[in-house]
Amino acid sequence: MFTGKAYSAIYDLEEIKSDVRTRLWFTYRKSFPPIGGTGPTLDTGWGCMLRCGQMMFAQALTMQLLGRDWRWTASGKRNEAYNSILSRFLDHKRACYSVHLISLMGESEGKKIGEWFGPNTVAQVMKKLSNYDEISKLSVHIAMDNLLIIEEVLRTSKDPATGFWTPLLLFIPLRLGLTEMNPAYIRALKSCLSLKETAGIVGGKPNHAYYFIGFVENQLLYLDPHKTQTAVHMNFTSQMEIKDIVDATQGIADDSYHCNTVHKMDFSLIDPSIALGFYCHTEADFDNLCRSLRLYVLDKQPMLFELCEKSPTTWDVPAKSRTTLGQSDSDAPLTRNSKSRQQQTGTSCNNGESDSDSDYELLG
């Protein structure tokens, strides 16, 4: 299973390889322009979570501009949409989601340049940077405190006056254990990676971040950013318009941004701090995501998180604060027990119907 698409390891091998190669693969780089003018010129040893955040964001942009079924080929003609995506992640301060701007924006989340990020921090930073994206609009919502509130997502992505929907990247940071992941969550994580709206998971092992894109039985499949490659040099100037930068990207060799290798890792070995990602191109996609979460993910105990139409009435933190405040890089809150939440609010947030485990088996 690769981000919502089921394959047969026997009959679909070429399709699997093509799917893996299509993903934009961001790794450590060296010899790029100094971050902040006088800072690091490589991110080896500290930038792996930044690179994983880039990969998830690039996957969302690919789904937005090219579609989930688009495939990259080394000899194929590169279209403008692909170049516009790649241009935003190059190792240069003019690139909106470059390691340079992620590092500098990380200072607003209490992270010094060169300091390791956790999943929640990279989500918060990518959300802030998306406000400066001049090429295409992507709304970003971060569901905090293990609570996905539908009305808050609608405020993020839907214009109340026109009803216009802005494509959504949804992050759900979670902490699924104290020092190691509780294996009781594995079935729900598999279900998340089986949904067609999934954009993957950022997580990994302690101080080793990976971008998880699928699973086979009890093993996660991931792209590994821990390879140091020489930065691709660009002749970008501060006077260049965004369109000129996109056009210039056409001349950049892009082979090093794609790989043929997907790695495997047991679910039980991952760090309990992760961030789920989902992409919803339309409001109908978001509605479908909510239905699927209720049927195939939140029907399992313990629940990964809770899904509510509106904020619980006893919640004493403003919604704006809850969705923007950073967290310590544990990096996400401890999962609360669903029963205790019901005792606080007097009702269960998850009002959807539950199906049996056989429904999940159909997805796997």
Side-chain angles (χ1 to χ4, degrees):
M1 181 65 70
F2 281 81
T3 48
K5 292 184 74 72
Y7 292 108
S8 165
I10 298 175
Y11 302 107
D12 300 327
L13 187 57
E14 290 306 313
E15 288 85 350
I16 293 172
K17 290 179 180 178
S18 178
D19 201 343
V20 171
R21 282 194 298 266
T22 293
R23 308 307 171 95
L24 280 165
W25 176 50
F26 299 117
T27 71
Y28 290 148
R29 295 277 176 169
K30 62 181 180 180
S31 302
F32 50 65
I35 295 175
T38 59
T41 58
L42 79 166
D43 61 322
T44 302
W46 58 270
C48 53
M49 184 59 78
L50 284 66
R51 299 300 185 177
C52 290
Q54 287 180 321
M55 285 190 271
M56 179 179 282
F57 218 91
Q59 177 63 16
L61 290 173
T62 300
M63 294 168 76
Q64 178 189 17
L65 300 178
L66 296 168
R68 174 66 180 83
D69 295 326
W70 175 82
R71 293 293 178 264
W72 174 87
T73 58
S75 57
K77 184 177 182 344
R78 286 155 54 177
N79 62 38
E80 185 175 352
Y82 170 82
N83 287 331
S84 76
I85 296 169
L86 180 59
S87 70
R88 283 176 264 187
F89 298 92
L90 298 175
D91 298 306
H92 191 280
K93 65 180 181 180
R94 291 299 310 279
C96 184
Y97 306 112
S98 65
V99 69
H100 295 68
L101 295 189
I102 296 175
S103 298
L104 292 168
M105 186 64 78
E107 293 184 306
S108 69
E109 293 292 323
K111 295 293 182 181
K112 298 178 181 178
I113 295 174
E115 188 173 352
W116 200 85
F117 283 22
N120 176 66
T121 299
V122 77
Q124 299 286 353
V125 168
M126 298 302 281
K127 176 181 179 178
K128 290 180 178 180
L129 290 176
S130 70
N131 294 320
Y132 302 95
D133 191 336
E134 299 179 48
I135 300 177
S136 63
K137 184 63 176 174
L138 183 67
S139 64
V140 181
H141 182 81
I142 303 174
M144 302 296 289
D145 297 286
N146 307 317
L147 188 59
L148 175 56
I149 301 172
I150 292 174
E151 69 172 0
E152 292 183 358
V153 175
L154 295 180
R155 280 200 294 268
T156 298
S157 283
K158 187 175 181 179
D159 187 313
T162 65
F164 180 79
W165 176 268
T166 302
L168 167 72
L169 175 58
L170 171 65
F171 284 100
I172 307 179
L174 300 170
R175 188 169 179 84
L176 305 178
L178 291 174
T179 58
E180 58 186 32
M181 197 191 73
N182 185 339
Y185 293 110
I186 292 176
R187 290 168 62 237
L189 289 177
K190 287 181 177 180
S191 294
C192 286
L193 289 169
S194 300
L195 302 181
K196 74 181 186 68
E197 295 85 7
T198 184
I201 301 173
V202 292
K205 298 186 295 188
N207 296 321
H208 276 75
Y210 303 126
Y211 175 41
F212 298 109
I213 60 174
F215 68 93
V216 175
E217 296 181 346
N218 287 321
Q219 291 188 312
L220 281 158
L221 305 175
Y222 66 90
L223 298 183
D224 187 357
H226 299 91
K227 177 181 180 179
T228 302
Q229 303 186 83
T230 301
V232 175
H233 290 283
M234 297 77 62
N235 295 319
F236 294 166
T237 67
S238 58
Q239 290 76 36
M240 291 179 71
E241 298 291 336
I242 294 298
K243 187 180 184 307
D244 296 330
I245 293 176
V246 173
D247 291 342
T249 304
Q250 177 67 40
I252 294 174
D254 66 339
D255 291 32
S256 67
Y257 293 103
H258 299 271
C259 68
N260 295 311
T261 303
V262 63
H263 301 269
K264 294 189 291 186
M265 172 181 169
D266 287 346
F267 272 93
S268 60
L269 298 179
I270 68 172
D271 187 272
S273 181
I274 64 171
L276 308 176
F278 299 97
Y279 172 75
C280 299
H281 192 72
T282 65
E283 186 176 3
D285 289 337
F286 178 66
D287 292 340
N288 184 72
L289 172 63
C290 292
R291 284 193 297 270
S292 297
L293 288 171
R294 286 178 171 130
L295 288 172
Y296 306 122
V297 177
L298 303 179
D299 64 326
K300 298 169 177 61
Q301 295 295 332
M303 287 170 54
L304 280 180
F305 55 90
E306 295 186 58
L307 176 61
C308 299
E309 293 289 339
K310 298 182 178 181
S311 301
T313 56
T314 58
W315 195 262
D316 58 0
V317 178
K320 183 177 180 181
S321 299
R322 192 166 64 252
T323 56
T324 58
L325 289 176
Q327 296 170 297
S328 62
D329 272 331
S330 324
D331 181 47
L334 295 176
T335 301
R336 290 188 178 90
N337 185 288
S338 174
K339 182 177 179 181
S340 66
R341 172 89 70 185
Q342 294 173 32
Q343 290 172 344
Q344 294 172 17
T345 64
T347 183
S348 170
C349 293
N350 182 25
N351 296 319
E353 296 178 359
S354 296
D355 279 9
S356 67
D357 288 345
S358 62
D359 293 299
Y360 162 70
E361 295 299 335
L362 292 175
L363 291 174

